[in-house]
Amino acid sequence: MLYIVRMREVDLRRIDLNLLVALEALLDEKNVTRAAHRLGMSQPAASRALGRLRAVFSDALLVDGPGGYVLSSRAEEVRPMLRRILAGVGELLEANSFDPATATGRIRLLMPDLQAAVLAPHLLARFAREAPSLDLDIVAPGMNGIEALEHGVADAMVALIDEAPAGIHRRRLYDEELVTLMRAHHPALAGKLTLDRFLALEHIVVSVTGVGPAPVDEVLARMGRTRRVKLRVPNFFAAVEIAARSDLIMTLPSGLARAAANMRRFVSLPPPLDLGSFTMSLAWHARQQDAPRHIWLRRAIVTAAMDMSSAIDVGR
Amino acid sequence: MLYIVRMREVDLRRIDLNLLVALEALLDEKNVTRAAHRLGMSQPAASRALGRLRAVFSDALLVDGPGGYVLSSRAEEVRPMLRRILAGVGELLEANSFDPATATGRIRLLMPDLQAAVLAPHLLARFAREAPSLDLDIVAPGMNGIEALEHGVADAMVALIDEAPAGIHRRRLYDEELVTLMRAHHPALAGKLTLDRFLALEHIVVSVTGVGPAPVDEVLARMGRTRRVKLRVPNFFAAVEIAARSDLIMTLPSGLARAAANMRRFVSLPPPLDLGSFTMSLAWHARQQDAPRHIWLRRAIVTAAMDMSSAIDVGR
DNA sequence: TATACAGCATGCATTGGACGCATGGAAATC
DNA sequence: GATTTCCATGCGTCCAATGCATGCTGTATA
């Protein structure tokens, strides 16, 4: 039968490991008074520490010799090991730092299509500027975004998150609405855009990954209605060029729609059905809360979202 | 640009190194109450130790997850380093001599299933005779036996070792072949045991841990062939009893097979496929080369292997 | 839904052991 | 012999870690 108690642990619980720091000073200095000074304690305290070390090691460690103390054989034997151990402890306790400028590796970020289309350029720009050797992998979250965070498959997720489950942290990034976009002289602008007229028109859907239904179609499905998706393209700019030269219309996040509207070739209208408004948030696992690499990532994403908003606002 | 300032001596005087022992228990157990018990202290004391460790590391170390605490990224990073450090401290403090008769603690030895089945009884007998208070934990090596040695997770390993990497010492123990065993009046003995007839028969596999494929199946897989493993049992003697009363056959290390053949209820045959021959070696980390405890262990294992060979030879 | 249980964190009182001051003995130097 | 340096020890103080007690939170079960 297995017993969990291990010899090493039993011993170490009874040993004052802080004595090892004193031991190093004593063996280096070969003089209790100087070692005390180096340790920032009084000479009697250092003397007693030596006494305790002598008990622990069952060895004198420092013995009288010409000109004062010299190291015992055991002390000579122990000294290099002691150095290595304390060096190891130093590394263990070393400030946990992260330098984006030199960091390598890959960040895996979950984000829906349309949000990626508008936020990714800003995030990539920030990566290029601050973390040139850090790679970014943006993936549609699918059904299991939270699980991906929990299993460490993904580093963070940008999504509509109503409630973060236990162990998942969340921060609001920006609010989002859907708007309908059509070319400036579209025939449908001659009258009010009713739902029936909206559904009679032909639509472009922008889908970077081609995965999952567009939010509009989800709402329409709940109403028992459908629209004609004439075209589905992975590239926002392709969609813009096609819509500018046709009667196809697009329903997009307001941020993205505003970027297109700035081109003066488009008119932006509220959709003729309540698609609601939603908050895009950043989610990550609690495990990574204090990791410097992750702190930098979160700041980069938050800043990219702000860059995105201000870039659009300035252009208006 | 970040600079890592390493003022180890200044830092370590202010750090309670005794916390490192608590840290190991907490990270192993992922449960404050159990860690407390293991450390021989109350749960509140362990909780406060965790609090102090969180301050020292500026990291939560243990975070809420499904089913309780999980390790933070920082904790995962720190854990192997911590193990090495505490192992080093253990060695530092170890008595310059080792008396097996009074020694306590646990030896962790990596060894594959079938080798364990035949060597372990001899080793345990030696432990009972010479080191009655020293416990032995035999574990299947898995993929990372060498790493386990390097990280101090295991004390030694018995395995097929082609080349020992830097820092790992090796010593030959014994040579091993696989043979096929079947009951004395098995119908298959009426003719020559061809590979096809071998594969048509039903097989017992002895697997102490139930981990990993049997060597026969690995060779067969490379040939694009499979056999019918009718039964997989963890206990060699159960296998013997079943095989003695059925048409199931076993392919085992020759040492083990010979022990069963001595029972006169079995016939031992060469397998109808070249399973090769291999040398079992003992491997250990250079760090432990001169440690008296480890010297004794190595001698015990080598002697147990010789006991194993001579016990089988005498019985023939 | 209510109850029971497990686990973690914190308030409070206690105390053991490390600390510094003071001192004296031993050894070395002048 | 006097002086200085170093080490070890007596004594009193104090503080940080400890355990008991407790309450909150989350999970499982009836």
Side-chain angles (χ1 to χ4, degrees):
Chain A
M1 219 56 237
L2 296 184
Y3 291 94
I4 310 298
V5 178
R6 296 165 60 177
M7 183 189 78
R8 197 191 68 221
E9 280 150 355
V10 172
D11 284 345
L12 296 193
R13 281 178 299 173
R14 298 196 170 91
I15 307 285
D16 182 1
L17 298 191
N18 295 318
L19 283 175
L20 297 182
V21 177
L23 180 59
E24 194 187 35
L26 286 159
L27 298 189
D28 284 350
E29 301 291 341
K30 296 171 199 159
N31 177 295
V32 175
T33 307
R34 286 203 304 274
H37 188 259
R38 173 168 151 178
L39 292 164
M41 64 172 67
S42 68
Q43 177 272 319
S47 186
R48 287 198 199 88
L50 177 58
R52 286 190 285 140
L53 284 161
R54 281 169 170 163
V56 167
F57 283 89
S58 303
D59 187 79
L61 299 173
L62 290 175
V63 297
D64 286 322
Y69 268 160
V70 299
L71 272 57
S72 73
S73 299
R74 182 85 173 110
E76 294 281 8
E77 180 186 319
V78 156
R79 203 170 172 206
M81 297 168 68
L82 179 63
R83 273 222 188 87
R84 279 200 300 272
I85 286 161
L86 293 180
V89 173
E91 284 166 28
L92 187 73
L93 297 173
E94 192 165 290
N96 195 12
S97 59
F98 174 76
D99 177 17
T102 58
T104 61
R106 173 169 296 275
I107 302 280
R108 193 169 178 89
L109 179 62
L110 305 179
M111 200 180 332
D113 275 350
L114 297 183
Q115 284 72 31
V118 71
L119 182 59
H122 294 275
L123 192 55
L124 284 168
R126 182 157 298 272
F127 266 59
R129 261 193 329 270
E130 299 185 16
S133 300
L134 203 51
D135 295 330
L136 177 63
D137 187 2
I138 299 184
V139 183
M143 289 288 105
N144 301 310
I146 294 289
E147 274 186 36
L149 294 179
E150 285 172 344
H151 294 164
V153 174
D155 294 292
M157 175 167 76
V158 175
L160 175 63
I161 301 158
D162 290 330
E163 282 184 14
I168 302 291
H169 289 194
R170 181 180 65 162
R171 173 185 166 150
R172 179 195 163 276
L173 284 181
Y174 59 92
D175 290 324
E176 188 100 301
E177 289 178 338
L178 292 183
V179 295
T180 298
L181 216 55
M182 59 184 70
R183 67 179 175 89
H185 300 294
H186 198 288
L189 289 171
K192 175 176 167 66
L193 182 65
T194 64
L195 178 60
D196 286 334
R197 300 192 66 177
F198 177 81
L199 297 182
L201 295 169
E202 296 182 323
H203 297 244
I204 305 185
V205 170
V206 179
S207 171
V208 176
T209 63
V211 171
V216 183
D217 297 301
E218 288 183 330
V219 174
L220 287 174
R222 288 202 290 266
M223 297 164 66
R225 307 295 295 268
T226 57
R227 65 175 171 167
R228 174 94 185 274
V229 176
K230 178 73 173 181
L231 188 62
R232 182 178 289 257
V233 291
N235 180 342
F236 172 63
F237 295 108
V240 166
E241 289 304 313
I242 291 161
R245 296 188 174 96
S246 71
D247 287 347
L248 300 187
I249 67 171
M250 300 181 284
T251 302
L252 299 169
S254 48
L256 199 55
R258 284 200 296 271
N262 290 338
M263 296 176 180
R264 297 201 191 79
R265 293 187 288 175
F266 288 95
V267 172
S268 172
L269 299 173
L273 71 166
D274 183 16
L275 297 172
S277 150
F278 41 97
T279 299
M280 300 308 297
S281 298
L282 175 62
W284 65 96
H285 197 273
R287 187 170 58 214
Q288 307 211 20
Q289 179 62 25
D290 300 314
R293 180 172 172 274
H294 206 270
I295 290 169
W296 177 87
L297 174 64
R298 298 201 297 273
R299 193 175 300 128
I301 293 168
V302 168
T303 313
M306 292 197 285
D307 291 346
M308 177 189 76
S309 298
S310 60
I312 291 166
D313 288 342
V314 168
R316 187 185 300 168
Chain B
M1 211 62 227
L2 294 184
Y3 294 93
I4 312 294
V5 180
R6 300 192 38 195
M7 305 191 58
R8 195 198 68 216
E9 283 147 359
V10 174
D11 285 343
L12 295 193
R13 281 177 300 172
R14 297 197 169 90
I15 305 287
D16 183 1
L17 298 191
N18 294 318
L19 283 176
L20 298 181
V21 178
L23 180 58
E24 193 187 35
L26 286 160
L27 298 189
D28 284 350
E29 301 290 341
K30 298 175 196 155
N31 176 299
V32 175
T33 306
R34 287 203 306 273
H37 187 259
R38 173 167 151 181
L39 292 164
M41 62 169 69
S42 69
Q43 178 269 320
S47 186
R48 288 201 197 81
L50 177 59
R52 285 190 287 140
L53 284 161
R54 283 170 168 161
V56 166
F57 282 88
S58 303
D59 186 77
L61 299 173
L62 290 175
V63 297
D64 285 324
Y69 269 159
V70 299
L71 272 56
S72 73
S73 299
R74 181 84 173 108
E76 294 281 7
E77 182 185 317
V78 156
R79 202 168 175 208
M81 297 166 69
L82 179 63
R83 271 221 189 92
R84 279 200 296 275
I85 286 161
L86 293 180
V89 174
E91 286 163 27
L92 186 73
L93 298 174
E94 195 164 287
N96 209 16
S97 61
F98 174 77
D99 178 17
T102 57
T104 60
R106 171 170 298 277
I107 302 281
R108 192 170 177 88
L109 179 62
L110 304 179
M111 200 179 334
D113 274 353
L114 298 184
Q115 283 72 32
V118 69
L119 181 59
H122 295 273
L123 192 54
L124 283 170
R126 183 156 298 271
F127 265 57
R129 260 192 331 269
E130 299 184 16
S133 300
L134 202 50
D135 294 332
L136 177 62
D137 186 4
I138 300 183
V139 182
M143 289 286 102
N144 301 307
I146 294 289
E147 273 186 38
L149 294 178
E150 285 171 344
H151 293 166
V153 174
D155 295 291
M157 176 169 72
V158 174
L160 175 63
I161 301 157
D162 291 329
E163 283 183 15
I168 300 291
H169 291 192
R170 182 180 65 163
R171 169 179 170 156
R172 180 193 161 278
L173 283 182
Y174 59 92
D175 292 323
E176 188 100 299
E177 289 179 341
L178 293 182
V179 296
T180 298
L181 216 54
M182 59 184 69
R183 67 180 176 90
H185 300 294
H186 198 287
L189 289 170
K192 177 177 165 66
L193 182 66
T194 63
L195 178 59
D196 285 333
R197 299 191 66 177
F198 178 80
L199 296 181
L201 295 170
E202 296 181 324
H203 297 244
I204 305 185
V205 168
V206 179
S207 172
V208 176
T209 64
V211 171
V216 183
D217 297 301
E218 288 185 333
V219 174
L220 286 174
R222 288 201 290 269
M223 297 164 69
R225 306 298 294 268
T226 59
R227 65 175 172 166
R228 173 94 184 277
V229 177
K230 177 74 175 182
L231 187 61
R232 184 179 289 258
V233 291
N235 179 343
F236 172 65
F237 293 108
V240 165
E241 289 303 313
I242 292 161
R245 299 190 173 93
S246 71
D247 286 346
L248 299 187
I249 66 172
M250 302 181 283
T251 303
L252 299 169
S254 49
L256 199 54
R258 283 200 294 273
N262 290 339
M263 296 177 183
R264 297 199 193 78
R265 295 186 290 176
F266 289 95
V267 173
S268 171
L269 299 173
L273 70 166
D274 182 16
L275 296 173
S277 152
F278 41 95
T279 298
M280 300 308 298
S281 299
L282 175 63
W284 66 96
H285 197 272
R287 187 173 58 218
Q288 308 210 16
Q289 179 63 26
D290 301 315
R293 179 170 170 274
H294 206 272
I295 291 169
W296 178 86
L297 174 64
R298 298 201 295 275
R299 193 177 298 126
I301 294 169
V302 169
T303 313
M306 293 198 283
D307 291 347
M308 175 189 75
S309 299
S310 60
I312 291 166
D313 287 343
V314 168
R316 188 184 300 169

